[in-house]
Amino acid sequence: MAIAPFAFAADICPAYDRETWRIEKKTRLKVLAEESLVPAGLSADGRKVNSGRWRDPYTNRIHNSPGEIDIDHRVPLKEAHDSGGYAWGAAKRRAYANDLSDPEHLVAVATKVNRGEKNDKDPAEWLPPYKASHAEYARNWVRIKRHWGLTADQEEADKLQELLGSEEVQLPIAPEGCPPQAAPAPKDSCCTVCRTGKACGNSCISRSKTCRKQLECACQE
């Protein structure tokens, strides 16, 4: 398996907040209408799907009520966040959450399966109950991650390769979540050694003064 090299940028990594990845109501409406096997019935104001017929690709079962259907992100929002999306701005997060350009990015699936089983799991942690869909599931997962420049952790990449066989998985490999913080410099590598006074930030101050800075590049001898 070819693995592209990857290095985290030294960005501050915010905690995942679903509100910053909000899917719009019109996005749900469009996906429900487009994926219904029969013409979807809309409310009088056209803002809600009242009826239709959907095949859940994760179970291969048919559902006749929109109340039984979730709009699932093939690569979940939290997975996208943990795979590099934490560094995106608000506009790109919204674009990802509501992307209709790829028909496999957002899919109509059974609410019970999406919320009760899949949640934010990657393919190493969860696969659809309908086993015949596994290779296609992995293929779509890889394509979406490539398109958005997202990474995969090692277990995820290994599982994808297992599912895709001879097909090449080219995703940058990196641990999920925030990049590790750099370890503090060892004492003998400090750029400022305080032989008198005490260390404070990048400089030395009198021992009688209060330091209100984090210890950075100064240290006591």
Side-chain angles (χ1 to χ4, degrees):
M1 174 176 64
I3 297 175
F6 184 83
F8 273 117
D11 296 306
I12 296 175
C13 179
Y16 171 69
D17 180 0
R18 186 177 176 83
E19 287 300 309
T20 67
W21 297 76
R22 185 178 301 176
I23 185 171
E24 299 173 1
K25 290 182 179 180
K26 64 180 181 180
T27 300
R28 173 179 168 82
L29 186 148
K30 288 180 180 178
V31 175
L32 284 174
E34 290 175 3
E35 296 194 8
S36 177
L37 302 174
V38 298
L42 302 181
S43 61
D45 60 8
R47 296 181 180 180
K48 185 178 180 180
V49 173
N50 288 331
S51 64
R53 185 176 174 84
W54 297 270
R55 184 185 68 83
D56 175 5
Y58 296 167
T59 63
N60 202 36
R61 293 176 180 172
I62 298 296
H63 295 265
N64 296 304
S65 169
E68 299 174 357
I69 297 295
D70 265 358
I71 305 306
D72 178 50
H73 292 84
R74 180 82 64 169
V75 177
L77 298 178
K78 188 176 186 302
E79 172 70 20
H81 176 276
D82 289 345
S83 301
Y86 67 84
W88 295 349
K92 189 169 182 179
R93 292 181 185 183
R94 287 195 298 271
Y96 182 91
N98 297 279
D99 183 20
L100 295 171
S101 65
D102 182 344
E104 297 298 329
H105 182 83
L106 288 163
V107 286
V109 303
T111 300
K112 183 177 180 180
V113 173
N114 186 41
R115 301 186 193 183
E117 298 179 19
K118 181 186 177 184
N119 294 308
D120 57 10
K121 298 181 179 71
D122 68 32
E125 301 166 317
W126 182 86
L127 286 169
Y130 183 47
K131 293 183 179 181
S133 71
H134 287 183
E136 190 64 20
Y137 184 82
R139 196 172 291 118
N140 288 322
W141 183 282
V142 170
R143 188 186 67 257
I144 290 165
K145 280 208 163 184
R146 282 181 184 169
H147 177 76
W148 289 91
L150 297 172
T151 65
D153 63 55
Q154 191 62 61
E155 289 185 2
E156 173 190 348
D158 290 345
K159 187 63 177 182
L160 289 167
Q161 191 64 70
E162 176 189 325
L163 294 167
L164 294 176
S166 61
E167 295 181 42
E168 198 169 20
V169 176
Q170 290 182 317
L171 289 174
I173 305 301
E176 284 192 353
C178 302
Q181 297 295 316
K187 186 175 180 180
D188 59 4
S189 70
C190 287
C191 57
T192 301
V193 178
C194 301
R195 293 184 172 84
T196 61
K198 62 182 180 181
C200 184
N202 291 324
S203 59
C204 303
I205 62 173
S206 169
R207 292 187 181 278
S208 63
K209 293 185 177 180
T210 301
C211 178
R212 303 188 184 280
K213 299 179 181 179
Q214 293 184 346
L215 184 62
E216 294 176 357
C217 203
C219 58
Q220 271 79 250
E221 189 175 29

